[in-house]
Each structure stands twice: as structure tokens, then as C-alpha cells.
């Protein structure tokens, strides 16, 4: 609605001295011409707003002009109170400030909206940590915050994943990013964007030198570039495999983080049909176990199937040996429409990355290419040699 857009423009102009019309248009998803018409409407309503032309021009309010526009709607209040998840604020030392800010917002809310906001904080809980992540190492973000907010260069002593010694780098920080409960510093090193895990920074020293960021690049731009570099790696080896239907969900969770297309799963067979898991005299499956489902999600979140195989994105854009794309295709037909096997295609950057499929035991079989089968066979042979001295007689097959 136009009234909401005018209010949004007024709020943005109160937080910044000058905002380019093109930026307002992009943020509000309208044309630049519409922004100028809105500015004229604000001016006609008595708001001291004006436009400046030129390279450094934009839309501005007269200095000192303020207005009280704290009238949040019911949905806005609910969103604000529901999304203030713990974790990130604690690491930044902002828990107390957040609670104080929410109390002030609650007082400023129209009385009819207060119960909705209060209820949202009790009925919605956001836990940013992955399943079974374990205790996290203590992270000191003070120096990183100081450098980010004062636009200063940082001197880091940093230990890369798997390394025993730290390296010293001088970097130009863009900002801090919390990803799945892990904090990263996004910074340029030698003019190239890099990710540094905060919990592997041994020391951080703020220098007196100003940060030398690339012109026109903001934190969101640098993060998006790094994220794409980590997640969108070229596929060099395409693996075709078959997986038991009962393990398909878990396989998709583990290797499907870089899915190229929408996953197509076979329709559920009707009771009594082959592959349904129900015989003619069996009325229903056992009741589902929600705790078991959560444990399955936790296993899918474990590093063995994700970070460990893709490498650590904080160690550079190449970020490890794996990372792939999985496409689930039609049933692998061995005689009936609802056979227990389903074929999949997974794209890896190197053949050795397919070793992650060994965690499924005999529930996943690589069909081709032959070189990947050879890698898995050689790895399995080394595992057999490692445990060959144990007496496995009578043990059930995995």
C-alpha cells in the first residue's frame, strides 16, 4: 500500500542522512519514478523532504527533523518478538540490550497488539544450533567487532582446519556472519574475499590503519560471493548409485545440500503391494517415533556427511574435496514397480569424495563410474585390514 511505502521511506530517511532514489526503489520494490512521486506526496503533507541531483545526490530530510512513527502493526510486532532468538546476541554481548529494547518496544506498542507480541515470544522458539553440535568453543568477538565498526584493519593469528600451527594475516574486514551457530569473519586478504572461523582465531589485533575494502562491496555482497563459491562448485565426477528406499531420506539429507533439481521420490506404495513393508495381514506400520526422526536429522547434520566431506569453507573458496549434487530418479527396476532400490545421481568435485557413501554400508551401492567403485573398494579393504584381527564370527551383517 502507498501509505506503508511512505512510512517506510520516512523511516529510512530518518536513519540515514541521504539515500539514493535508486536504493529506495530497490528496497521498496518499486520504480525510481514512483519514489519521486512518493517524495512529492510527503512534501505536500508537510514533511521537509527534498532531492539532490548529481553523483552524490539522493533523497534527504532537513537536519533535525524527527517524527514518532513507532506504530507497529500486529504482524510486525509478532515478527519482532518471535525472531529474537538467543545465541547470536549472547556472542555479541547484546542479551541485556535486547531485553531492554524489547521492553521499550512493548511499551510503545498499541495496547491491542501487546498480547500478540507477548504470546509470540512464548509460542515460537528458534534454536540456531545444529543437532548434536556439542559444547561450542568460547569465541571472543570483541576485537573483531571493534575492527568492523571502526573500519580498521585486523592482524590475525589463524589456524586452518587440520593444521597444527597458526598463520599470521592482515585483513580488511567487512563484517561478522553467524551461520548455523558458527561465527565467521568476512574479510579481504590481499584484495580477495576470505572466510575466517571465529573459533579458530588465536589472536586478533586492531591496527590503526583504515580498512581497504573494495569500492561498492558490502558485507552481504562479499558473503553471497563466498557462499556461492562454497556451495556451487563444478561437478567433475558424476556417480550413479542405488539406495534402499528405507535410507533414501537420510541420503538426501546428507548429500542433497547442493541439489541441482527438485528431488523426486517414489510415491508411497499401497498396503499389501511389493515394497510397502505391509503384508496382506498387516493393517498398519508401527507408530512413528518422533525422537527417532530427530536423531535421524541429527545424524544428517553430523560433519561426516556434510562439512567433513566438503571441507571447511573458512579455509578458502576451494573448501575441501567434496560437495555435490544429487538427483533422485526413477526406481531401479528389478522386477516390480515398487522395488526396494532407488537410483540416484550425485555429482562430486573429486572421486575420493564419494567415500562418504561408505557410512551407509550395504544400503548404498555405487553402480558407476568404475573408478569410484575402485576407490570405495580400496577404502573398504583398508578398513577390513584395520579390523581384520578382530573375531567377527557370528556378527550380523551391517
Amino acid at each position: 500500500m502507498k501509505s506503508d511505502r511512505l512510512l517506510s521511506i520516512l523511516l529510512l530517511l530518518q536513519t540515514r542522512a541521504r539515500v539514493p532514489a535508486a536504493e529506495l526503489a530497490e528496497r521498496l520494490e518499486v520504480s525510481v519514478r514512483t519514489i519521486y512521486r512518493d517524495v512529492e506526496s510527503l512534501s505536500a503533507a508537510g514533511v521537509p523532504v527534498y532531492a539532490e541531483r548529481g553523483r552524490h545526490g539522493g533523497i534527504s530530510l532537513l537536519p533535525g527533523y524527527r517524527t514518532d512513527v513507532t506504530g507497529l502493526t500486529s504482524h510486525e510486532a509478532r515478527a519482532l518478538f518471535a525472531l529474537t532468538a538467543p545465541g547470536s546476541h549472547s556472542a555479541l554481548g547484546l542479551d541485556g540490550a535486547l531485553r531492554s529494547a524489547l521492553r521499550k518496544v512493548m511499551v510503545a506498542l498499541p495496547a491491542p497488539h501487546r498480547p500478540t507480541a507477548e504470546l509470540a515470544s512464548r509460542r515460537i522458539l528458534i534454536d540456531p544450533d545444529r543437532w548434536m553440535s556439542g559444547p561450542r568453543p568460547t569465541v571472543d568477538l570483541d576485537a573483531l567487532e571493534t575492527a568492523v565498526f571502526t573500519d580498521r584493519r585486523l592482524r590475525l593469528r589463524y589456524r586452518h582446519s587440520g593444521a597444527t600451527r597458526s598463520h599470521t594475516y592482515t585483513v580488511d574486514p567487512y563484517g561478522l556472519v553467524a551461520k548455523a551457530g558458527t561465527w565467521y569473519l568476512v574479510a579481504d586478504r590481499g584484495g580477495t574475499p576470505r572466510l575466517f572461523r571465529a573459533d579458530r582465531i588465536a589472536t586478533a589485533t586492531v591496527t590503526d590503519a583504515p580498512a581497504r575494502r573494495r569500492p561498492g562491496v558490502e558485507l552481504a555482497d562479499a558473503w553471497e560471493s563466498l557462499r556461492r563459491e562454497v556451495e556451487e562448485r563444478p561437478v567433475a565426477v558424476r556417480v550413479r548409485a542405488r539406495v534402499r528406499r528405507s535410507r533414501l531420506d537420510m541420503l538426501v539429507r546428507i548429500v542433497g545440500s547442493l541439489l541441482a533439481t527438485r528431488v523426486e521420490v517414489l510415491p508411497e506404495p499401497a498396503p499389501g503391494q511389493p515394497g510397502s513393508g505391509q503384508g496382506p495381514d498387516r493393517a498398519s506400520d508401527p507408530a512413528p517415533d518422533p525422537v527417532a526422526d530427530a536423531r535421524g536429522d541429527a545424524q544428517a547434520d553430523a560433519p561426516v556427511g556434510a562439512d567433513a566431506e566438503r571441507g571447511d569453507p573458512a579455509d578458502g573458496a576451494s573448501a575441501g574435496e567434496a560437495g555435490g549434487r544429487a538427483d533422485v530418479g526413477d526406481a531401479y527396476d528389478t522386477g516390480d514397480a515398487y522395488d526396494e532400490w532407488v537410483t540416484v545421481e550425485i555429482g562430486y568435485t573429486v572421486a575420493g569424495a564419494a567415500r562418504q557413501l561408505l557410512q551407509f554400508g550395504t544400503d548404498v551401492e555405487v553402480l558407476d563410474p568404475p573408478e569410484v567403485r575402485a576407490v570405495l573398494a580400496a577404502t573398504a579393504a583398508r578398513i577390513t585390514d584395520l579390523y581384520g584381527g578382530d573375531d567377527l564370527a557370528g556378527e550380523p551383517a551391517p
Side-chain angles (χ1 to χ4, degrees), residues 32-388:
V32 173
R33 179 171 295 184
T34 298
I35 292 297
Y36 282 120
R37 284 200 297 264
D38 289 344
V39 168
E40 291 177 359
S41 298
L42 287 171
S43 180
V47 176
V49 59
Y50 63 97
E52 288 186 359
R53 297 185 180 277
R55 180 179 178 184
H56 301 292
I59 313 298
S60 303
L61 288 171
L62 284 180
Y65 177 82
R66 305 291 296 176
T67 185
D68 183 9
V69 288
T70 56
L72 297 177
T73 68
S74 176
H75 288 299
E76 290 168 343
R78 180 183 300 174
L80 181 62
F81 280 79
L83 297 180
T84 51
S88 300
H89 305 97
S90 300
L92 295 171
L94 296 176
D95 269 353
L98 175 64
R99 288 192 294 270
S100 176
L102 290 179
R103 284 195 297 269
K104 293 176 181 178
V105 171
M106 181 68 80
V107 170
L109 282 177
H113 298 338
R114 291 174 191 169
T116 299
E118 193 271 338
L119 185 63
S121 65
R122 292 167 42 211
R123 292 290 184 263
I124 298 176
L125 174 65
I126 298 175
D127 185 347
D129 293 331
R130 287 163 45 161
W131 287 105
M132 300 172 65
S133 58
R136 295 190 175 276
T138 302
V139 177
D140 185 2
L141 299 178
D142 288 347
L144 305 184
E145 272 192 273
T146 299
V148 164
F149 285 107
T150 60
D151 297 324
R152 297 292 176 181
R153 303 190 96 188
L154 270 169
R155 186 174 297 110
L156 306 177
R157 282 186 56 245
Y158 184 77
R159 181 184 63 80
H160 293 277
S161 177
T164 57
R165 298 175 58 185
S166 298
H167 296 267
T168 301
Y169 302 114
T170 299
V171 301
D172 301 293
Y174 286 92
L176 296 167
V177 174
K179 173 76 167 175
T182 299
W183 280 98
Y184 293 92
L185 171 70
V186 177
D188 277 356
R189 179 162 65 88
T192 303
R194 289 285 184 265
L195 283 178
F196 298 90
R197 275 185 64 133
D199 56 11
R200 288 210 299 270
I201 297 176
T203 62
T205 304
V206 182
T207 72
D208 293 330
R212 303 171 187 170
R213 302 186 182 106
R214 285 165 289 148
V217 178
E218 297 289 342
L219 171 62
D221 304 319
W223 170 255
E224 180 63 18
S225 171
L226 290 165
R227 186 195 62 77
R228 284 201 309 266
E229 208 166 347
V230 170
E231 295 184 350
E232 299 176 7
R233 301 182 192 125
V235 172
V237 180
R238 203 166 267 283
V239 173
R240 190 169 68 93
R242 64 175 188 166
V243 55
R244 293 188 191 276
R245 180 177 181 140
S246 61
R247 299 288 282 168
L248 179 60
D249 285 343
M250 181 63 67
L251 180 78
V252 170
R253 289 182 197 140
I254 290 177
V255 305
S257 59
L258 298 177
L259 285 170
T261 58
R262 183 170 60 91
V263 177
E264 298 287 351
V265 180
L266 288 175
E268 192 71 25
Q273 287 186 295
S276 68
Q278 296 183 20
D281 58 344
R282 193 169 155 204
S284 63
D285 286 332
D289 182 356
V291 176
D293 281 348
R295 288 184 184 134
D297 291 337
Q299 181 180 343
D301 275 345
V304 66
D307 294 342
E309 285 297 335
R310 285 201 298 276
D312 190 342
D315 285 339
S318 59
E321 68 172 358
R325 306 179 185 275
D327 301 322
V328 178
D330 297 329
Y332 185 75
D333 189 3
T334 56
D336 57 62
Y338 292 104
D339 191 81
E340 62 177 338
W341 292 99
V342 175
T343 57
V344 298
E345 279 195 357
I346 309 167
Y348 290 108
T349 56
V350 293
R355 293 189 186 96
Q356 72 173 158
L357 299 177
L358 290 173
Q359 66 185 291
F360 291 94
T362 58
D363 291 329
V364 172
E365 178 191 2
V366 169
L367 304 175
D368 52 61
E371 58 266 27
V372 173
R373 288 180 62 92
V375 167
L376 299 188
T379 304
R382 289 196 295 272
I383 294 174
T384 300
D385 291 341
L386 181 63
Y387 296 103

